[in-house]
Amino acid sequence: MTVTIQTIGTEQFSLYDAIPINFEVTSVLRVEVVDGGFGGFRLVEEALDTPYLKDYNISDEDGPTAWARDFDVSQWVISVAFEGERPLGGVTVVPDFGLCPSGPCPRQDLAVVWDIRVHPDARGQGIGAQLVHCAAGWARQKGFGQLVFETQNVNVPACRFYARQGCTLGAIHRFGYAGCSDIAHEAVLLWYLDL
């Protein structure tokens, strides 16, 4: 399979939108608190009795075609992996989007992978690794020192993928989605890639 990665503009977001961003959840990483938090956290993988399908695009209104409406995408880079004319995957990188608290020392060297996806039919063929390489190259060229990827404890395949790409788990936020009833049970996991 010959894959090419191209940067696209807003007029082509529908191509990106056509790539599904769903997966079957068969296990979760349960977050165990060690010594009341003084010993950190431990992630323990547990198989689910009843697997389910998770789709990051909650509705047609929140996918990539809506990004230009909802955000200033002028500083974003959106790239799509194609086999011929068929979109197989995509990655979107933005300057720090508030994933890391600004506090007294705001991060100016952090780029965020806002979205990364590979069509279910094309997973396991190295396309995701090519997209990470593309994102890292762009961020490095722009002077960023790290990329950060957000995922959840219910996306075990993504966690394993980020670890294989050289990322380090830098933060676990057990209550990161507490205000969202549908996903309040999920924990935020932030993975960092040094550039």
Side-chain angles (χ1 to χ4, degrees):
M1 169 187 318
T2 302
V3 174
T4 59
I5 299 178
Q6 301 171 19
T7 299
I8 63 168
T10 55
E11 71 283 353
Q12 294 178 297
F13 278 10
S14 61
L15 292 172
Y16 197 114
D17 223 353
I19 306 161
I21 189 166
N22 57 44
F23 61 97
E24 185 177 26
V25 180
T26 59
S27 64
V28 299
L29 296 171
R30 182 173 41 82
V31 180
E32 286 185 356
V33 179
V34 178
D35 190 23
F38 286 103
F41 300 106
R42 179 179 21 244
L43 297 174
V44 178
E45 186 172 0
E46 292 181 341
L48 295 180
D49 293 333
T50 308
Y52 63 93
L53 190 68
K54 179 170 175 81
D55 193 339
Y56 283 117
N57 281 348
I58 299 167
S59 72
D60 292 339
E61 299 297 315
D62 69 346
T65 52
W67 294 344
R69 178 194 70 217
D70 297 340
F71 305 102
D72 174 7
V73 298
S74 62
Q75 300 300 310
W76 297 22
V77 63
I78 297 102
S79 301
V80 174
F82 291 94
E83 179 186 34
E85 293 185 21
R86 180 179 175 225
L88 296 179
V91 64
T92 300
V93 186
V94 303
D96 181 15
F97 201 77
L99 280 181
C100 299
S102 53
C105 301
R107 296 285 308 266
Q108 300 300 317
D109 68 330
L110 186 67
V112 175
V113 174
W114 174 263
D115 182 274
I116 185 167
R117 57 180 70 195
V118 175
H119 194 288
D121 297 342
R123 291 179 186 157
Q125 298 179 38
I127 296 168
Q130 290 179 53
L131 292 168
V132 168
H133 182 76
C134 175
W138 177 86
R140 195 177 297 111
Q141 181 182 25
K142 294 293 185 184
F144 293 101
Q146 283 187 317
L147 273 179
V148 62
F149 302 77
E150 177 182 350
T151 193
Q152 298 74 36
N153 64 322
V154 298
N155 196 345
V156 177
C159 293
R160 295 194 189 291
F161 169 76
Y162 296 139
R164 284 193 310 273
Q165 301 314 305
C167 298
T168 301
L169 181 60
I172 299 171
H173 191 334
R174 294 171 51 217
F175 309 112
Y177 303 117
C180 305
S181 60
D182 293 350
I183 57 172
H185 63 284
E186 297 180 10
V188 177
L189 305 178
L190 298 179
W191 294 85
Y192 293 81
L193 180 65
D194 290 331
L195 301 175

Short mmCIF file of all heavy atoms in Angstrom, two decimals, residues 11-64:
data_model
loop_
_atom_site.label_atom_id
_atom_site.label_comp_id
_atom_site.label_asym_id
_atom_site.label_seq_id
_atom_site.Cartn_x
_atom_site.Cartn_y
_atom_site.Cartn_z
N GLU A 11 -11.61 23.76 2.92
CA GLU A 11 -12.50 23.30 1.85
C GLU A 11 -12.45 21.78 1.67
O GLU A 11 -13.33 21.22 1.03
CB GLU A 11 -12.16 24.01 0.53
CG GLU A 11 -10.85 23.59 -0.12
CD GLU A 11 -9.59 24.18 0.53
OE1 GLU A 11 -9.71 25.05 1.43
OE2 GLU A 11 -8.49 23.76 0.15
N GLN A 12 -11.46 21.12 2.27
CA GLN A 12 -11.34 19.67 2.16
C GLN A 12 -11.62 18.94 3.47
O GLN A 12 -11.37 17.75 3.57
CB GLN A 12 -9.93 19.31 1.65
CG GLN A 12 -9.65 19.77 0.24
CD GLN A 12 -8.23 19.41 -0.16
OE1 GLN A 12 -7.27 19.89 0.43
NE2 GLN A 12 -8.12 18.55 -1.15
N PHE A 13 -12.12 19.65 4.49
CA PHE A 13 -12.37 19.00 5.77
C PHE A 13 -13.33 17.83 5.66
O PHE A 13 -13.29 16.91 6.46
CB PHE A 13 -12.91 20.01 6.78
CG PHE A 13 -11.83 20.84 7.45
CD1 PHE A 13 -10.53 20.83 7.02
CD2 PHE A 13 -12.15 21.64 8.52
CE1 PHE A 13 -9.55 21.60 7.63
CE2 PHE A 13 -11.19 22.42 9.15
CZ PHE A 13 -9.89 22.40 8.70
N SER A 14 -14.21 17.84 4.66
CA SER A 14 -15.15 16.72 4.51
C SER A 14 -14.40 15.42 4.22
O SER A 14 -14.87 14.34 4.60
CB SER A 14 -16.16 17.02 3.40
OG SER A 14 -15.50 17.19 2.16
N LEU A 15 -13.23 15.49 3.58
CA LEU A 15 -12.42 14.29 3.36
C LEU A 15 -11.94 13.72 4.70
O LEU A 15 -11.95 12.52 4.92
CB LEU A 15 -11.21 14.60 2.47
CG LEU A 15 -11.49 14.97 1.03
CD1 LEU A 15 -10.22 15.44 0.34
CD2 LEU A 15 -12.09 13.79 0.29
N TYR A 16 -11.51 14.61 5.57
CA TYR A 16 -11.06 14.22 6.90
C TYR A 16 -12.25 13.64 7.68
O TYR A 16 -12.14 12.62 8.36
CB TYR A 16 -10.50 15.44 7.60
CG TYR A 16 -9.63 15.19 8.81
CD1 TYR A 16 -8.28 15.51 8.80
CD2 TYR A 16 -10.17 14.69 9.99
CE1 TYR A 16 -7.48 15.32 9.91
CE2 TYR A 16 -9.39 14.50 11.11
CZ TYR A 16 -8.04 14.82 11.07
OH TYR A 16 -7.26 14.62 12.18
N ASP A 17 -13.37 14.32 7.58
CA ASP A 17 -14.59 13.90 8.28
C ASP A 17 -15.05 12.51 7.87
O ASP A 17 -15.70 11.80 8.64
CB ASP A 17 -15.70 14.91 8.00
CG ASP A 17 -16.50 15.26 9.24
OD1 ASP A 17 -16.28 14.64 10.30
OD2 ASP A 17 -17.33 16.17 9.15
N ALA A 18 -14.70 12.10 6.65
CA ALA A 18 -15.14 10.79 6.14
C ALA A 18 -14.39 9.63 6.80
O ALA A 18 -14.79 8.47 6.64
CB ALA A 18 -14.95 10.75 4.62
N ILE A 19 -13.33 9.93 7.52
CA ILE A 19 -12.54 8.88 8.19
C ILE A 19 -13.17 8.62 9.56
O ILE A 19 -13.18 9.51 10.41
CB ILE A 19 -11.07 9.31 8.35
CG1 ILE A 19 -10.47 9.72 7.00
CG2 ILE A 19 -10.26 8.20 9.01
CD1 ILE A 19 -9.22 10.56 7.13
N PRO A 20 -13.68 7.41 9.79
CA PRO A 20 -14.30 7.14 11.10
C PRO A 20 -13.29 7.27 12.24
O PRO A 20 -12.10 7.01 12.07
CB PRO A 20 -14.76 5.68 10.98
CG PRO A 20 -14.81 5.40 9.51
CD PRO A 20 -13.75 6.27 8.89
N ILE A 21 -13.78 7.67 13.39
CA ILE A 21 -12.94 7.78 14.59
C ILE A 21 -13.62 7.02 15.72
O ILE A 21 -13.90 7.54 16.79
CB ILE A 21 -12.62 9.24 14.94
CG1 ILE A 21 -11.56 9.31 16.03
CG2 ILE A 21 -13.86 10.04 15.25
CD1 ILE A 21 -10.91 10.65 16.24
N ASN A 22 -13.91 5.77 15.45
CA ASN A 22 -14.54 4.93 16.46
C ASN A 22 -13.70 3.68 16.66
O ASN A 22 -12.85 3.34 15.84
CB ASN A 22 -15.98 4.57 16.07
CG ASN A 22 -16.06 3.88 14.72
OD1 ASN A 22 -15.29 2.99 14.42
ND2 ASN A 22 -16.99 4.30 13.89
N PHE A 23 -13.95 3.02 17.76
CA PHE A 23 -13.22 1.80 18.08
C PHE A 23 -14.04 1.00 19.09
O PHE A 23 -14.90 1.54 19.79
CB PHE A 23 -11.83 2.11 18.64
CG PHE A 23 -11.85 2.90 19.92
CD1 PHE A 23 -11.73 2.28 21.15
CD2 PHE A 23 -11.99 4.28 19.88
CE1 PHE A 23 -11.77 3.02 22.31
CE2 PHE A 23 -12.03 5.03 21.04
CZ PHE A 23 -11.91 4.41 22.26
N GLU A 24 -13.75 -0.29 19.16
CA GLU A 24 -14.43 -1.14 20.12
C GLU A 24 -13.65 -1.13 21.43
O GLU A 24 -12.43 -1.36 21.44
CB GLU A 24 -14.54 -2.57 19.60
CG GLU A 24 -15.35 -3.46 20.53
CD GLU A 24 -15.54 -4.87 20.01
OE1 GLU A 24 -14.70 -5.34 19.22
OE2 GLU A 24 -16.54 -5.50 20.41
N VAL A 25 -14.34 -0.85 22.50
CA VAL A 25 -13.73 -0.87 23.83
C VAL A 25 -13.93 -2.26 24.40
O VAL A 25 -15.05 -2.67 24.68
CB VAL A 25 -14.38 0.19 24.75
CG1 VAL A 25 -13.75 0.16 26.14
CG2 VAL A 25 -14.27 1.58 24.14
N THR A 26 -12.83 -2.99 24.53
CA THR A 26 -12.88 -4.35 25.07
C THR A 26 -12.26 -4.44 26.45
O THR A 26 -12.45 -5.41 27.16
CB THR A 26 -12.18 -5.34 24.13
OG1 THR A 26 -10.81 -4.93 23.97
CG2 THR A 26 -12.87 -5.40 22.77
N SER A 27 -11.47 -3.40 26.78
CA SER A 27 -10.85 -3.34 28.11
C SER A 27 -10.64 -1.88 28.48
O SER A 27 -10.72 -1.00 27.62
CB SER A 27 -9.51 -4.09 28.12
OG SER A 27 -8.58 -3.47 27.27
N VAL A 28 -10.40 -1.64 29.75
CA VAL A 28 -10.13 -0.29 30.25
C VAL A 28 -8.89 -0.35 31.15
O VAL A 28 -8.53 -1.41 31.67
CB VAL A 28 -11.32 0.31 31.04
CG1 VAL A 28 -12.54 0.44 30.16
CG2 VAL A 28 -11.63 -0.50 32.28
N LEU A 29 -8.26 0.80 31.31
CA LEU A 29 -7.16 0.93 32.26
C LEU A 29 -7.73 1.55 33.53
O LEU A 29 -8.00 2.75 33.58
CB LEU A 29 -6.05 1.81 31.67
CG LEU A 29 -5.37 1.26 30.43
CD1 LEU A 29 -4.44 2.29 29.82
CD2 LEU A 29 -4.61 -0.03 30.75
N ARG A 30 -7.97 0.70 34.53
CA ARG A 30 -8.49 1.20 35.79
C ARG A 30 -7.37 1.96 36.51
O ARG A 30 -6.24 1.48 36.61
CB ARG A 30 -9.00 0.06 36.66
CG ARG A 30 -9.61 0.51 37.97
CD ARG A 30 -10.26 -0.64 38.74
NE ARG A 30 -9.52 -1.88 38.73
CZ ARG A 30 -8.49 -2.17 39.54
NH1 ARG A 30 -8.08 -1.29 40.43
NH2 ARG A 30 -7.89 -3.34 39.46
N VAL A 31 -7.69 3.16 37.00
CA VAL A 31 -6.70 3.98 37.69
C VAL A 31 -6.76 3.64 39.18
O VAL A 31 -7.78 3.85 39.83
CB VAL A 31 -6.96 5.48 37.47
CG1 VAL A 31 -5.91 6.31 38.20
CG2 VAL A 31 -6.99 5.82 35.99
N GLU A 32 -5.67 3.08 39.69
CA GLU A 32 -5.55 2.79 41.11
C GLU A 32 -4.72 3.89 41.76
O GLU A 32 -3.64 4.23 41.27
CB GLU A 32 -4.86 1.45 41.35
CG GLU A 32 -5.70 0.25 41.05
CD GLU A 32 -4.98 -1.06 41.43
OE1 GLU A 32 -3.80 -1.02 41.85
OE2 GLU A 32 -5.61 -2.11 41.28
N VAL A 33 -5.20 4.41 42.87
CA VAL A 33 -4.46 5.42 43.63
C VAL A 33 -3.57 4.68 44.62
O VAL A 33 -4.04 3.83 45.37
CB VAL A 33 -5.43 6.37 44.37
CG1 VAL A 33 -4.66 7.39 45.17
CG2 VAL A 33 -6.37 7.03 43.38
N VAL A 34 -2.28 4.98 44.60
CA VAL A 34 -1.32 4.32 45.48
C VAL A 34 -1.01 5.24 46.66
O VAL A 34 -0.65 6.40 46.46
CB VAL A 34 -0.02 3.99 44.70
CG1 VAL A 34 1.01 3.34 45.62
CG2 VAL A 34 -0.33 3.11 43.50
N ASP A 35 -1.20 4.73 47.86
CA ASP A 35 -0.88 5.45 49.08
C ASP A 35 -1.53 6.83 49.11
O ASP A 35 -0.88 7.84 49.35
CB ASP A 35 0.64 5.56 49.26
CG ASP A 35 1.05 6.09 50.64
OD1 ASP A 35 0.25 5.97 51.60
OD2 ASP A 35 2.16 6.64 50.73
N GLY A 36 -2.84 6.85 48.82
CA GLY A 36 -3.59 8.11 48.86
C GLY A 36 -3.13 9.14 47.84
O GLY A 36 -3.43 10.31 47.95
N GLY A 37 -2.37 8.70 46.85
CA GLY A 37 -1.84 9.60 45.83
C GLY A 37 -0.36 9.90 46.02
O GLY A 37 0.32 10.27 45.06
N PHE A 38 0.17 9.71 47.23
CA PHE A 38 1.59 9.98 47.47
C PHE A 38 2.48 9.01 46.70
O PHE A 38 3.61 9.32 46.36
CB PHE A 38 1.93 9.92 48.97
CG PHE A 38 1.45 11.11 49.71
CD1 PHE A 38 0.32 11.02 50.51
CD2 PHE A 38 2.10 12.32 49.61
CE1 PHE A 38 -0.14 12.13 51.20
CE2 PHE A 38 1.65 13.44 50.29
CZ PHE A 38 0.52 13.34 51.09
N GLY A 39 1.95 7.83 46.43
CA GLY A 39 2.69 6.82 45.66
C GLY A 39 2.35 6.86 44.19
O GLY A 39 2.76 5.99 43.42
N GLY A 40 1.58 7.86 43.79
CA GLY A 40 1.22 8.00 42.38
C GLY A 40 -0.01 7.18 42.02
O GLY A 40 -0.88 6.91 42.86
N PHE A 41 -0.06 6.81 40.77
CA PHE A 41 -1.17 6.02 40.24
C PHE A 41 -0.62 4.79 39.55
O PHE A 41 0.49 4.79 39.04
CB PHE A 41 -1.98 6.83 39.22
CG PHE A 41 -2.59 8.09 39.77
CD1 PHE A 41 -2.06 9.32 39.45
CD2 PHE A 41 -3.69 8.03 40.60
CE1 PHE A 41 -2.61 10.49 39.94
CE2 PHE A 41 -4.25 9.19 41.11
CZ PHE A 41 -3.71 10.42 40.79
N ARG A 42 -1.46 3.77 39.50
CA ARG A 42 -1.12 2.56 38.76
C ARG A 42 -2.29 2.29 37.82
O ARG A 42 -3.46 2.41 38.20
CB ARG A 42 -0.93 1.40 39.74
CG ARG A 42 -0.60 0.10 39.10
CD ARG A 42 -0.38 -1.06 40.08
NE ARG A 42 -0.96 -0.88 41.40
CZ ARG A 42 -0.24 -0.79 42.53
NH1 ARG A 42 1.06 -0.84 42.51
NH2 ARG A 42 -0.85 -0.65 43.69
N LEU A 43 -1.98 1.95 36.58
CA LEU A 43 -3.01 1.59 35.61
C LEU A 43 -3.07 0.08 35.51
O LEU A 43 -2.05 -0.57 35.26
CB LEU A 43 -2.69 2.20 34.24
CG LEU A 43 -2.67 3.72 34.19
CD1 LEU A 43 -2.20 4.20 32.82
CD2 LEU A 43 -4.05 4.30 34.50
N VAL A 44 -4.25 -0.46 35.71
CA VAL A 44 -4.45 -1.90 35.66
C VAL A 44 -5.47 -2.20 34.56
O VAL A 44 -6.61 -1.71 34.62
CB VAL A 44 -4.97 -2.44 37.02
CG1 VAL A 44 -5.21 -3.94 36.95
CG2 VAL A 44 -3.99 -2.08 38.13
N GLU A 45 -5.06 -2.97 33.58
CA GLU A 45 -5.97 -3.28 32.48
C GLU A 45 -6.98 -4.34 32.92
O GLU A 45 -6.61 -5.36 33.51
CB GLU A 45 -5.20 -3.78 31.25
CG GLU A 45 -6.11 -3.97 30.05
CD GLU A 45 -5.36 -4.28 28.77
OE1 GLU A 45 -4.11 -4.34 28.78
OE2 GLU A 45 -6.04 -4.46 27.74
N GLU A 46 -8.25 -4.05 32.63
CA GLU A 46 -9.33 -4.98 32.97
C GLU A 46 -10.19 -5.21 31.73
O GLU A 46 -10.62 -4.24 31.08
CB GLU A 46 -10.23 -4.40 34.06
CG GLU A 46 -9.56 -4.28 35.40
CD GLU A 46 -10.49 -3.74 36.47
OE1 GLU A 46 -11.53 -3.11 36.12
OE2 GLU A 46 -10.19 -3.92 37.65
N ALA A 47 -10.43 -6.47 31.41
CA ALA A 47 -11.31 -6.81 30.29
C ALA A 47 -12.75 -6.48 30.67
O ALA A 47 -13.14 -6.60 31.84
CB ALA A 47 -11.17 -8.29 29.95
N LEU A 48 -13.53 -6.04 29.70
CA LEU A 48 -14.94 -5.75 29.93
C LEU A 48 -15.78 -6.98 29.61
O LEU A 48 -15.52 -7.69 28.64
CB LEU A 48 -15.40 -4.60 29.04
CG LEU A 48 -14.77 -3.24 29.29
CD1 LEU A 48 -15.35 -2.21 28.33
CD2 LEU A 48 -15.01 -2.79 30.72
N ASP A 49 -16.79 -7.22 30.42
CA ASP A 49 -17.73 -8.30 30.14
C ASP A 49 -18.55 -8.00 28.89
O ASP A 49 -18.88 -8.90 28.12
CB ASP A 49 -18.68 -8.54 31.33
CG ASP A 49 -17.95 -9.07 32.54
OD1 ASP A 49 -16.89 -9.73 32.36
OD2 ASP A 49 -18.41 -8.82 33.67
N THR A 50 -18.88 -6.72 28.72
CA THR A 50 -19.69 -6.30 27.57
C THR A 50 -18.95 -5.19 26.82
O THR A 50 -19.03 -4.02 27.20
CB THR A 50 -21.07 -5.79 28.04
OG1 THR A 50 -21.66 -6.76 28.89
CG2 THR A 50 -21.96 -5.49 26.86
N PRO A 51 -18.22 -5.56 25.76
CA PRO A 51 -17.55 -4.53 24.97
C PRO A 51 -18.58 -3.58 24.33
O PRO A 51 -19.76 -3.92 24.18
CB PRO A 51 -16.83 -5.33 23.88
CG PRO A 51 -16.67 -6.69 24.46
CD PRO A 51 -17.91 -6.90 25.30
N TYR A 52 -18.12 -2.38 23.97
CA TYR A 52 -19.01 -1.41 23.33
C TYR A 52 -18.23 -0.59 22.32
O TYR A 52 -16.99 -0.57 22.34
CB TYR A 52 -19.69 -0.51 24.37
CG TYR A 52 -18.76 0.36 25.17
CD1 TYR A 52 -18.46 1.67 24.79
CD2 TYR A 52 -18.17 -0.11 26.36
CE1 TYR A 52 -17.63 2.48 25.53
CE2 TYR A 52 -17.33 0.70 27.11
CZ TYR A 52 -17.06 1.99 26.69
OH TYR A 52 -16.23 2.79 27.42
N LEU A 53 -18.94 0.07 21.44
CA LEU A 53 -18.34 0.91 20.42
C LEU A 53 -18.30 2.35 20.93
O LEU A 53 -19.32 2.87 21.38
CB LEU A 53 -19.13 0.83 19.12
CG LEU A 53 -18.48 1.48 17.90
CD1 LEU A 53 -17.23 0.70 17.48
CD2 LEU A 53 -19.46 1.54 16.75
N LYS A 54 -17.13 2.97 20.87
CA LYS A 54 -16.99 4.38 21.25
C LYS A 54 -16.67 5.16 19.99
O LYS A 54 -15.80 4.78 19.22
CB LYS A 54 -15.89 4.58 22.27
CG LYS A 54 -15.73 6.06 22.65
CD LYS A 54 -14.82 6.25 23.83
CE LYS A 54 -14.57 7.71 24.12
NZ LYS A 54 -15.63 8.37 24.86
N ASP A 55 -17.38 6.27 19.79
CA ASP A 55 -17.17 7.13 18.64
C ASP A 55 -16.84 8.52 19.18
O ASP A 55 -17.62 9.11 19.90
CB ASP A 55 -18.42 7.18 17.77
CG ASP A 55 -18.17 7.81 16.42
OD1 ASP A 55 -17.18 8.56 16.27
OD2 ASP A 55 -18.97 7.55 15.50
N TYR A 56 -15.66 9.04 18.81
CA TYR A 56 -15.27 10.36 19.28
C TYR A 56 -16.08 11.47 18.62
O TYR A 56 -16.21 12.55 19.19
CB TYR A 56 -13.78 10.61 19.04
CG TYR A 56 -12.89 9.90 20.03
CD1 TYR A 56 -12.00 8.92 19.62
CD2 TYR A 56 -12.92 10.23 21.38
CE1 TYR A 56 -11.17 8.28 20.54
CE2 TYR A 56 -12.10 9.60 22.30
CZ TYR A 56 -11.22 8.63 21.87
OH TYR A 56 -10.40 8.01 22.77
N ASN A 57 -16.60 11.23 17.43
CA ASN A 57 -17.52 12.20 16.83
C ASN A 57 -18.91 11.91 17.40
O ASN A 57 -19.59 10.98 16.96
CB ASN A 57 -17.55 12.07 15.30
CG ASN A 57 -16.37 12.73 14.65
OD1 ASN A 57 -15.64 13.47 15.27
ND2 ASN A 57 -16.18 12.46 13.38
N ILE A 58 -19.29 12.69 18.37
CA ILE A 58 -20.56 12.46 19.06
C ILE A 58 -21.73 12.68 18.11
O ILE A 58 -22.72 11.99 18.15
CB ILE A 58 -20.67 13.38 20.30
CG1 ILE A 58 -19.53 13.03 21.27
CG2 ILE A 58 -22.01 13.22 20.97
CD1 ILE A 58 -19.35 14.04 22.38
N SER A 59 -21.59 13.65 17.21
CA SER A 59 -22.65 13.92 16.24
C SER A 59 -22.01 14.48 14.97
O SER A 59 -20.82 14.79 14.94
CB SER A 59 -23.65 14.94 16.80
OG SER A 59 -23.05 16.23 16.84
N ASP A 60 -22.79 14.61 13.93
CA ASP A 60 -22.31 15.20 12.69
C ASP A 60 -21.93 16.66 12.87
O ASP A 60 -21.22 17.24 12.06
CB ASP A 60 -23.37 15.07 11.58
CG ASP A 60 -23.58 13.64 11.16
OD1 ASP A 60 -22.67 12.81 11.40
OD2 ASP A 60 -24.65 13.33 10.60
N GLU A 61 -22.43 17.26 13.94
CA GLU A 61 -22.19 18.69 14.19
C GLU A 61 -20.85 18.99 14.85
O GLU A 61 -20.47 20.15 14.97
CB GLU A 61 -23.31 19.25 15.08
CG GLU A 61 -24.69 19.14 14.46
CD GLU A 61 -24.80 19.96 13.18
OE1 GLU A 61 -24.35 21.11 13.18
OE2 GLU A 61 -25.33 19.43 12.20
N ASP A 62 -20.11 17.96 15.32
CA ASP A 62 -18.87 18.25 16.04
C ASP A 62 -17.63 17.69 15.37
O ASP A 62 -16.55 17.74 15.93
CB ASP A 62 -18.97 17.75 17.49
CG ASP A 62 -18.97 16.23 17.59
OD1 ASP A 62 -19.17 15.56 16.56
OD2 ASP A 62 -18.76 15.71 18.70
N GLY A 63 -17.75 17.17 14.17
CA GLY A 63 -16.61 16.62 13.46
C GLY A 63 -15.75 17.69 12.82
O GLY A 63 -15.96 18.89 13.01
N PRO A 64 -14.76 17.27 12.06
CA PRO A 64 -13.83 18.21 11.45
C PRO A 64 -14.48 19.31 10.62
O PRO A 64 -13.97 20.43 10.61
CB PRO A 64 -12.96 17.30 10.58
CG PRO A 64 -12.95 16.00 11.33
CD PRO A 64 -14.35 15.88 11.87
#
